[in-house]
Amino acid sequence: MSWIEFIQNNQALMIECLIRHIELVVIAVGTGMVVSIPMGIFLSRHRKLANPVLTATGMIQTIPGLVMLGFALILFGIGVLPALVVLSLYALLPILRNTYTGITEVDKNIIEAARGIGMTNRQTLFKVELPLALSSIISGIRISTVYIVSWATLAGLIGAGGLGDLIWTGLATYNSVYILAGAIPSAILAFIFSGLIGMIQSVFTPRGLRGLRYDI
Amino acid sequence: MIRFENVTKSYGKNVILRNLNFTINPGEFVVLIGPSGCGKTTTLKTINRLIEPDGGKIFIDEKDITKENPVELRRTIGYVIQQIGLFPNMTVEENIAIVPKLLKYPKEKWQGVVKELLELVGMPYEQNAHKYPSELSGGQQQRIGVLRALAASPPIVLMDEPFGALDPITRDTLQDEVRRIQKKLKKTIVFVTHDMDEALKMADVIVFMDSGKILQMASPEEMLRNPADPLIAEFMGKHMSNANMIFTAADFMKTRVTKVSRTTLTLQSIELMRNREVNSLLVINDDDTYFGSVSIEKLRSQGKPGKEIGDMVSDEAPVVNVKDDARETFDKLMTSPTGYVVVLNDDATVAGLITKTSMTKAMGEALWGEMSS
């Protein structure tokens, strides 16, 4: 039985796993955005803090996923919650870093012009800095999303469901059909997410900025 | 009117502005100039409070600007920077309309302003308003930068080396346009540059700064004629030797001349001329005043042993005063039958002699001076 047949024969299971997977990704990345974007803006206003905070966030990234899941399991028990906590932590760094660098790399002459013509700090942020950093921020979200689609397969280990369930079942039973039925949709999902976010990015990039992207 | 009163500014031990006192009158085009680090840009930015002085006060129309909200203040002062600083995420129209929008103009009003201003620089609204800055040439971008500064009709516009990054032809055109607009709209413009050509072309008043002090504040003509400091003269370099500068006869004369008393005898005089290798003598009275000149030919044809030189002098050599205009002297030299011009002091004593050689030498020095500056 090939993995394609397996998928055809187990459509209900597949859809359930896929939806759970997407839920995990969307909630984790969403949480990451809600925390990271304001934090990135805050750091761009308090640049002395930026280095320690970015380093600390970077260290989270270096802790192996299994260890993190283990801790989350101990703290929050089994299920969706510990998985979301861990995935959200992993989603932080790329968005945070891209928000911070996106804002700090806006041409300082443009910022000076904004202040010089009488924009308040808030107006400078919303009318100038964020629009110019937007492309970089969306790039960060895109990187996070692709990461999290793949990290989310680990969530199956602590009973959070998703495509990881299939992979771990396959590994436990030495069954490559299960592994592929989890891994291949997960790879395709990452691809689709990345493409969708890329489209959003180009829609949000004004004509004047195309060709001079503030990408990382 | 903008008035600086004892304005100082330091960064740590680095003193940027030392006790600045000056006044800019309404409608004046004032250019701040000086070597890098002289404080000209800092001075400019204290006017819209992008930089706060450590001491002293700045008044605009007799109101102390520190008493005003900096954001409100800046909306009443136009600001143009060298790197243009247009917002790349906004169209030409949005860029120009930004201050009117901050000031909550109704839409019809700011759109009218945009149309009017684009008209002013010959960039029709329909073709240009919806372009982005990246779709314009450098010159067009800076035009929009200037228009953005003018959009809310501020009485004062600050410009920080606005044309520094443009090619010479575009810069020239923009200088003309800004000057025309300034005259037409009667703006007070404070303009920073390090380019003396630009300053001389644009300014009503030039403020020359060095090490945080004003070395001279004067009209371009006055500064060319009487630079208050060698540094200013050096900055003006090639402009110094043009028609604005007045040379006098004294600048071209040689002072080592052979003078003899009118009672000197013929053989004595011939001996003297042989020793000094000259072919004419200047003859003076007993009180040192000029009497006339004698050439070697005349001595040979009329001189006799024992005859006084005073009896042979001619007055054919042209005479000028040390303060006479060099051009006049030059004309006299060219038509002089003796090939030289005698230069006298005010008390009629001999100051020197201008020959074609001394003239050439002095002009060479003037040219050399220009080339080295």
Side-chain angles (χ1 to χ4, degrees), chain A residues 54-65 68 86 89-90 92-93:
Chain A
L54 286 173
T55 313
T57 326
M59 275 163 65
I60 296 176
Q61 209 81 0
T62 65
I63 302 170
M68 286 282 276
V86 172
L89 280 174
Y90 280 121
L92 291 180
L93 181 71

Side-chain angles (χ1 to χ4, degrees), chain B residues 34-53:
Chain B
S36 14
C38 69
K40 52 190 190 291
T41 297
T42 308
T43 306
L44 186 85
K45 288 184 184 173
T46 54
I47 299 175
N48 65 1
R49 294 187 63 188
L50 282 177
I51 293 176
E52 303 280 359

Side-chain angles (χ1 to χ4, degrees), chain B residues 6 18 25 31 45 53 65 108 125 127 130 164 178 185 198 202-204 209 213 222 230 236 277 299 314 348 357:
Chain B
N6 302 320
R18 297 168 203 265
N25 295 314
V31 174
K45 288 184 184 173
I65 61 171
E108 312 80 65
Y125 180 87
Q127 281 97 303
H130 304 295
V178 165
L185 305 178
E198 189 164 68
M202 311 284 282
D204 294 319
M209 296 182 66
K213 292 187 305 258
E222 172 64 15
M236 291 197 287
E277 292 176 340
L299 271 181
S314 77
T357 316

Side-chain angles (χ1 to χ4, degrees), chain B residues 111-127:
Chain B
Q111 257 181 346
V113 168
V114 172
K115 281 188 182 144
E116 205 175 292
L117 287 173
L118 283 171
E119 207 66 41
L120 195 65
V121 294
M123 291 175 67
Y125 180 87
E126 282 70 27
Q127 281 97 303

